[in-house]
Amino acid sequence: MSDNRGVVYLGAGKVEVQSIGDPKLEAPDGRRIEHAVILKVVTTNICGSDQHMVRGRTTAPEGLVLGHEITGEVIEKGADVEMLEIGDIVSVPFNVACGRCRTCKSQDTGVCLTVNPSRAGGAYGYVDMGGWIGGQAKYVMVPYADFNLLKFPDRDRAMERIRDLTMLSDILPTGFHGALKAGVGVGSVVYVAGAGPVGLAAAASARILGAAVVMVGDFNKDRLAHAAKVGFEAVDLSKSDRLGDLIADITGSNEVDSAIDAVGFEARGHAGGEQPAIVLNQMMEITRAAGQIGIPGLYVTEDPGAVDSAAKQGSLSLRFGLGWAKAQSFHTGQTPVLKYNRQLMMAILHGRLPIADIVNAQVIPLEDAPKGYEIFDHGAPQKFVLDPHGMVAKAA
């Protein structure tokens, strides 16, 4: 390793690629750990969750190295790593998980009890998630490697499909989790709020789960055009503030079996202003009685840029009584990536899930990350994949 460089949050909506020092087999508190590996980063993606921090909508400190969507090559390993070898290409779940605590043993790895001293759940390069250094860099350290990492079975085959496989670290399992928890199955009528990458991943997941109709709603016409191009029913939310009517124009009914919130707390209403609870309230309105709502969209406990004092503490004005009266089920929280990533890998390797085309993956050099952040923040219908060592370009 030499001159490790990474994407650093500068505050005020800015990021910069800087020298960040080489990773070590050390926990955030400085303890030497032998269950970890060092990865040469093959791909690392810009996520909408990163944008929340860069916009100043969290308490993320300046100087934070960003990046939780990581795919890499093992170049160093600790003495306790038994199942991985130097040269293996692996997918890194964005959840940092110990594999030993009560929640990890039940596959609820999004809320590991040991990797974050301040709360349940850890992640790389993210505010309040345990201090684990992010992977939008040339090299990164991954703890509890035998438990966390998904090894690709064939290096050459993996590199051929690396644009798809890079989505296994977060957005594809997150979209799949949202669809599964929304009860999507054969013949389901599904509405997905948000035509960004996670929304499209949720729509793609609903399709492979057997949905009869998959609708994706957004205000962004470019994203809607792309959603329609890849086979989903596009719902232009600018046409009406009555979502049920827009759905009825497509299906003949103003209700759906399953709804998926892929927007989160920075949601906006029909008039253009921010309404952090608007999507959740709409989900309850349009979901049938005894239907299910999956909520992979991010909601935070602290939002310094919120529109009111309650929302700054994560308190939203929900019509929860409506959901209760309709006997609806809700599922929230970080996706336990390990629960799904192997199955989704197999779907990719066997040509069943061309997720890179569905989310319009665009590969760019690490040094172009600030430009990628800017374009993505303006609503481009793209998913930016950083290529720190030019390995994707060489494989193309």
Side-chain angles (χ1 to χ4, degrees), residues 45 47 69 94 163-180 197-206 208 296 335 337 340-349 352-356 358-359 383:
N45 314 328
C47 181
E69 299 190 10
F94 77 89
R163 290 173 64 253
D164 298 294
L165 293 170
T166 189
M167 306 304 168
L168 289 172
S169 57
D170 182 358
I171 67 163
L172 180 54
T174 293
F176 188 83
H177 182 64
L180 201 65
V198 171
L200 292 174
S205 299
I208 66 171
T335 296
V337 172
Y340 311 114
N341 61 354
R342 185 188 180 279
Q343 301 96 304
L344 294 169
M345 175 188 73
M346 296 301 289
I348 288 170
L349 291 176
R352 295 296 305 278
L353 194 50
I355 188 62
I358 291 170
V359 301
K383 172 71 172 178

Side-chain angles (χ1 to χ4, degrees), residues 325-337:
K326 295 174 75 173
Q328 293 168 339
S329 299
F330 305 79
H331 195 96
T332 67
Q334 290 187 44
T335 296
V337 172

Side-chain angles (χ1 to χ4, degrees), residues 165-333:
L165 293 170
T166 189
M167 306 304 168
L168 289 172
S169 57
D170 182 358
I171 67 163
L172 180 54
T174 293
F176 188 83
H177 182 64
L180 201 65
K181 293 303 181 179
V184 177
V186 175
S188 296
V189 175
V190 182
Y191 176 77
V192 181
V198 171
L200 292 174
S205 299
R207 188 155 62 190
I208 66 171
L209 286 168
V213 182
V214 182
M215 296 168 281
V216 181
D218 208 302
F219 291 102
N220 185 313
K221 296 188 185 307
D222 291 336
R223 287 185 168 182
L224 288 172
H226 179 72
K229 179 181 176 181
V230 294
F232 306 116
E233 297 286 347
V235 179
D236 186 348
L237 300 179
S238 68
K239 291 185 176 180
S240 173
D241 62 354
R242 297 179 64 85
L243 178 57
D245 291 348
L246 296 174
I247 289 171
D249 289 341
I250 297 170
T251 67
S253 170
N254 62 4
E255 288 190 328
V256 299
D257 299 306
S258 304
I260 304 166
D261 173 7
V263 176
F265 73 105
E266 286 194 69
R268 295 187 176 275
H270 190 263
E274 193 166 300
Q275 296 177 252
I278 183 66
V279 173
L280 294 172
N281 286 325
Q282 287 179 332
M283 299 296 94
M284 288 185 279
E285 290 176 9
I286 65 168
T287 302
R288 65 172 175 83
Q292 295 174 231
I293 300 170
I295 310 172
L298 177 67
Y299 289 86
V300 295
T301 55
E302 292 184 77
D303 175 9
V307 293
D308 56 53
S309 57
K312 287 181 179 180
Q313 304 300 318
S315 296
L316 308 181
S317 298
L318 291 175
R319 283 194 69 194
F320 190 71
L322 175 61
W324 190 94
K326 295 174 75 173
Q328 293 168 339
S329 299
F330 305 79
H331 195 96
T332 67

Side-chain angles (χ1 to χ4, degrees), residues 94-115:
F94 77 89
N95 323 109
V96 181
C98 73
R100 305 168 183 177
C101 68
R102 175 179 179 176
T103 54
C104 283
K105 286 183 176 181
S106 64
Q107 288 195 308
D108 294 316
T109 53
V111 281
C112 174
L113 302 175
T114 68
V115 296

Side-chain angles (χ1 to χ4, degrees), residues 101-177:
C101 68
R102 175 179 179 176
T103 54
C104 283
K105 286 183 176 181
S106 64
Q107 288 195 308
D108 294 316
T109 53
V111 281
C112 174
L113 302 175
T114 68
V115 296
N116 184 350
S118 62
R119 58 188 284 189
Y124 304 91
Y126 210 85
V127 59
D128 296 331
M129 296 304 285
W132 303 95
I133 296 173
Q136 285 176 11
K138 289 187 173 184
Y139 303 94
V140 69
M141 185 275 292
V142 175
Y144 303 103
D146 280 336
F147 179 71
N148 283 304
L149 296 180
L150 173 68
K151 175 185 172 180
F152 298 143
D154 181 275
R155 180 189 179 95
D156 291 339
R157 191 177 178 194
M159 290 306 298
E160 289 174 1
R161 293 189 179 271
I162 197 65
R163 290 173 64 253
D164 298 294
L165 293 170
T166 189
M167 306 304 168
L168 289 172
S169 57
D170 182 358
I171 67 163
L172 180 54
T174 293
F176 188 83
H177 182 64

Side-chain angles (χ1 to χ4, degrees), residues 7-143:
V7 180
V8 178
Y9 171 55
L10 302 180
K14 296 181 180 179
V15 298
E16 185 176 278
V17 179
Q18 300 179 354
S19 295
I20 60 172
D22 290 340
K24 300 177 181 179
L25 299 179
E26 293 181 353
D29 61 7
R31 289 178 296 111
R32 171 82 179 183
I33 50 177
E34 296 293 347
H35 50 66
V37 298
I38 305 296
L39 299 181
K40 177 181 179 180
V41 176
V42 176
T43 56
T44 177
N45 314 328
I46 297 175
C47 181
S49 296
D50 298 321
Q51 293 283 18
H52 295 308
M53 291 186 291
V54 174
R55 293 187 192 115
R57 298 302 298 269
T58 71
T59 55
E62 295 179 15
L64 181 70
V65 180
L66 299 170
H68 57 272
E69 299 190 10
I70 309 162
T71 304
E73 177 184 358
V74 178
I75 61 170
E76 182 181 341
K77 65 177 190 173
D80 293 342
V81 178
E82 299 178 352
M83 308 300 292
L84 297 164
E85 301 297 338
I86 303 301
D88 286 346
I89 304 292
V90 296
S91 179
V92 185
F94 77 89
N95 323 109
V96 181
C98 73
R100 305 168 183 177
C101 68
R102 175 179 179 176
T103 54
C104 283
K105 286 183 176 181
S106 64
Q107 288 195 308
D108 294 316
T109 53
V111 281
C112 174
L113 302 175
T114 68
V115 296
N116 184 350
S118 62
R119 58 188 284 189
Y124 304 91
Y126 210 85
V127 59
D128 296 331
M129 296 304 285
W132 303 95
I133 296 173
Q136 285 176 11
K138 289 187 173 184
Y139 303 94
V140 69
M141 185 275 292
V142 175

